[in-house]
Amino acid sequence: MEGSICYLPTTSNRRKWKLERKLRGTLLQIIQSRLGSEGSLYGNDLLGLMLEACIPTEHGGKQQQISLSMDGIIHECKTFFFASHETTALLLTWTVFLLSVYPEWQERLRKEVLREFGKDNPSGDNLSKLKEMTMVLLETLRLYGPAVFTQRKTMTDMAVGEIEIPKGLGIIIPFAIMHRDKKVWGDDADEFNPLRFQNGVTKAAKVPHALLSFSIGPRSCIGQNFAMMEAKSVMAVILQKFSFTLSPDYVHAPVDLLTLRPKFGLPVILRRLDVCS
Ligand code: HEM
């Protein structure tokens, strides 16, 4: 009964189906325009690569094969959009929150950005120079990581330390709780201390793989390096142009809605630096 409710035309299901149709239509439009484009290539981005890989025949290939491939491609587009957009936006959100609460770190990062780039736009090659920025982003991922937990299922009977786990058991791995474990991170586990990452991510805690924000293993986040670069570039540009503090309207209420969000948003007061100075 529980499973069949998703097929009933309830208000929320109808809204969901409408949104799904809209999303599919938008993605199909983008895909069709790529398929119709001149030349043999479909573009050098992820969608282009998927089209190359999934549609080996020319546009006149077997219709059934194309429509199956389309579903696969649409599914991948949705996965990448969901996995990448909200998560990176939330990493930026919580970084702005922490830098508002710790203005000394905001100033430290601004000095680092101005020292490395001046007023120029950050470039891909130079982003690796932002050591303190990396430390702050890692500490943000530890305390307010967008992915709160992940799940796994055991394929065989197994043991983790002294715990025996039978085959087929679903396991929740609660990153957010593990990231504040004092036995692993030390007595200041609940505090914002980016310096713990100054000797690299594997030296920050008592065990090397304690930071699990992107998970680990073969199914870990495929976009983690991209996400870190994106977050560094955006934060660098914000810090070059603005200083920011929390608005008095801010209410601290992190909530787990698949990702960790500020329940009432993050109202901040921005000040343009060229106007202040
Ligand atoms: C701060 C940003 C991000 C965080 C915290 C994050 C976190 C995660 C986590 C925890 C997983 C699950 C891994 C597991 O269960 O083992 C995951 C999977 C994934 N992420 Fe990210 N992610 C971020 C950004 C991105 C970006 C920018 C992309 C794409 C450009 C991306 C694409 C994916 C994909 C495709 C998967 C599924 C991988 C698979 O199942 O093999 N993520 N991510």
Side-chain angles (χ1 to χ4, degrees), residues 79-80 83-84 87-88 91 141 145-147 149-152 175 212-216 218-224 226-227 230:
T79 302
F80 266 82
S84 66
T87 46
T88 314
L91 171 58
L141 284 169
F149 66 89
T150 193
Q151 300 179 63
R152 291 289 186 269
F175 304 146
L212 295 168
S213 321
F214 294 109
S215 190
I216 47 173
R219 299 308 295 263
S220 66
C221 178
I222 202 169
Q224 53 189 290
F226 182 78
E230 203 179 2

Side-chain angles (χ1 to χ4, degrees), residues 54-103:
C54 297
I55 306 178
T57 53
E58 280 299 298
H59 302 172
K62 279 186 194 162
Q63 193 55 42
Q64 197 190 10
Q65 185 186 356
I66 289 178
S67 85
L68 276 177
S69 301
M70 281 295 175
D71 280 345
I73 292 171
I74 287 173
H75 191 70
E76 287 299 327
C77 289
K78 286 185 194 169
T79 302
F80 266 82
F81 183 73
F82 175 75
S84 66
H85 182 267
E86 188 76 16
T87 46
T88 314
L90 284 165
L91 171 58
L92 288 165
T93 303
W94 290 117
T95 306
V96 168
F97 164 72
L98 284 164
L99 292 180
S100 303
V101 176
Y102 296 91

